[in-house]
Amino acid sequence: MVLGFMVTGFFTSQAASFEKATYSDRLRLPFRDDRLGISRSVTVDPVTAEIFVTDWRYRRIVIFDKDLLFRYMMAGDRFSTSPNEVAIDPEEYLIVLPSAGDTLSYLDFDGAPIGQLPLKGLPEDLVATPRLVSVALSPDGETVYTLDGNNKIVWIAGRDGTIRHYIDMGAGLDEQDFRDFIFGHVDVYGQTLIVTVPTSGVVKLFDLEGGSPRFVGLQGTAPCQTAFPVAGALDAEGRVLVLDNQRALVSVWQVEGNKCLGEFAGFGGGPGGLYRPLDLALDAQGRVFISQGYQGRVQVYQHDSPAAGTTLEEEAPPAKAPAREPSVEQATPQKPEPESSQDSGN
């Protein structure tokens, strides 16, 4: 069975309970002496269901297929600095956030650099130069979402980097709270934009234009509280999975009423245990991928529901866009034109 995908509405029906996810496997490289270093992020390709892991320590992106087998890696001279995070569009082009955090890099699916993707049309009254800490794409690949740690803003931009909207997460904060404010990850599931705010102990939920704000989470260190949430995912039942960096587990929340339904995982160095987890992703098979720096592990848990906006279908995924040589004119890269366009016959 292969994976097909469809987009569902913003927030589906709310579930009253869930079955605790169970540990099933971990991602492994083919050579015993080659292990993941610091796995800063994990992302599932929306078309092929491949898993992309950014390995900050060894300056590479490692790709596994939908059966969890190593496929290939992009490493070394592909990146000016270590990659922090990657977003994959439906035509298999990559937007990479480097650890420097000053701009986004644009690669083709073979890892060949195409150019930079600077943000354009920024307000003139910004507090500071943007420092980007996370990136995601809309399901159609046309909208870029990135978190600005300096200005505490969620930028919503077109594919050329032009700002269309933004969410000012720092509005109304006093000077101390503004300085202490920290973003986690930004993610998109179906028609839902997810932004984690570790310092507030909450996960913010919006529609794809940054409207209809809601949240889950209750800051604290007791069971079913969120001490330091760093990433979130939305399943097809409308439940939010929240990865807690400090409590080393995942809590599952019903959006309506901000109700915690339960938790899974927990502290440990053995299979299924977590220590300072950094990111999670949920796929169309209900698999939860959790990355962490300690031991460089990406572990896999089986959840009772697939990701929102996905479905399993008995049909092949859309074909990948073929790799192309970078164009000299692409100083500010646009979404690549199809092969039938006038400038594809070089």
Side-chain angles (χ1 to χ4, degrees):
M1 181 179 290
V2 295
L3 299 178
F5 291 78
M6 68 179 183
V7 175
T8 60
F10 178 54
F11 296 122
T12 55
S13 61
Q14 303 299 327
S17 63
F18 84 111
E19 296 179 10
K20 182 180 291 188
T22 56
Y23 170 77
S24 61
D25 208 341
R26 63 182 288 184
L27 301 182
R28 294 178 174 85
L29 292 171
F31 303 105
R32 182 172 297 180
D33 60 349
D34 186 10
R35 298 189 178 186
L36 294 170
I38 298 177
S39 306
R40 284 281 181 87
S41 71
V42 57
T43 306
V44 178
D45 186 314
V47 174
T48 66
E50 292 172 330
I51 304 101
F52 285 63
V53 178
T54 57
D55 187 344
W56 181 85
R57 173 174 290 169
Y58 297 124
R59 197 176 163 186
R60 61 186 176 179
I61 297 173
V62 185
I63 300 95
F64 300 84
D65 68 19
K66 63 184 180 65
D67 297 316
L68 310 186
L69 300 175
F70 170 80
R71 185 172 179 193
Y72 63 101
M73 70 176 68
M74 305 172 186
D77 59 0
R78 302 293 190 191
F79 312 107
S80 57
T81 62
S82 293
N84 258 4
E85 197 165 5
V86 61
I88 308 106
D89 82 356
E91 295 182 357
E92 303 307 314
Y93 288 83
L94 312 181
I95 295 178
V96 177
L97 173 64
S99 57
D102 51 356
T103 190
L104 300 169
S105 298
Y106 196 58
L107 310 178
D108 69 18
F109 194 69
D110 295 323
I114 296 175
Q116 302 298 307
L117 184 60
L119 296 179
K120 299 185 294 185
L122 293 166
E124 296 181 356
D125 59 349
L126 284 180
V127 173
T129 301
R131 178 177 58 86
L132 308 182
V133 297
S134 186
V135 64
L137 280 167
S138 61
D140 61 8
E142 297 295 338
T143 305
V144 180
Y145 304 91
T146 187
L147 305 183
D148 179 352
N150 279 349
N151 297 290
K152 324 305 181 188
I153 287 176
V154 183
W155 298 113
I156 302 174
R159 189 52 181 265
D160 65 349
T162 300
I163 301 300
R164 296 205 317 253
H165 311 287
Y166 63 89
I167 308 169
D168 188 352
M169 304 288 282
L173 297 180
D174 61 31
E175 183 177 349
Q176 182 64 45
D177 288 341
F178 187 91
R179 185 165 54 249
D180 293 342
F181 183 102
I182 296 175
F183 275 125
H185 289 276
V186 60
D187 291 284
V188 175
Y189 284 85
Q191 298 298 292
T192 303
L193 175 66
I194 300 176
V195 179
T196 51
V197 186
T199 45
S200 300
V202 297
V203 176
K204 299 279 191 175
L205 309 169
F206 305 91
D207 63 31
L208 295 187
E209 294 301 313
S212 305
R214 301 181 78 176
F215 76 94
V216 296
L218 177 64
Q219 192 165 36
T221 57
C224 263
Q225 292 184 345
T226 43
F228 201 78
V230 291
L234 183 70
D235 72 17
E237 300 298 321
R239 300 167 298 187
V240 181
L241 283 66
V242 179
L243 179 64
D244 195 319
N245 174 271
Q246 289 186 4
R247 297 188 61 223
L249 50 71
V250 176
S251 54
V252 180
W253 294 76
Q254 177 178 294
V255 178
E256 194 67 38
N258 189 28
K259 179 182 178 181
C260 177
L261 304 175
E263 302 173 335
F264 65 88
F267 282 107
L274 300 174
Y275 184 77
R276 297 294 184 182
L278 299 174
D279 194 17
L280 93 166
L282 178 64
D283 75 358
Q285 297 184 49
R287 298 180 299 189
V288 183
F289 300 92
I290 301 180
S291 65
Q292 64 181 43
Y294 175 68
Q295 297 181 339
R297 295 187 301 180
V298 178
Q299 300 190 92
V300 187
Y301 303 77
Q302 187 60 54
H303 183 52
D304 64 357
S305 175
T310 67
T311 185
L312 290 169
E313 297 178 350
E314 293 283 354
E315 49 184 68
K320 291 180 181 178
R324 288 189 272 294
E325 292 298 321
S327 169
V328 175
E329 292 79 21
Q330 284 179 305
T332 303
Q334 306 283 334
K335 189 169 184 178
E337 296 292 332
E339 289 292 329
S340 59
S341 66
Q342 292 181 349
D343 54 353
S344 64
N346 294 337

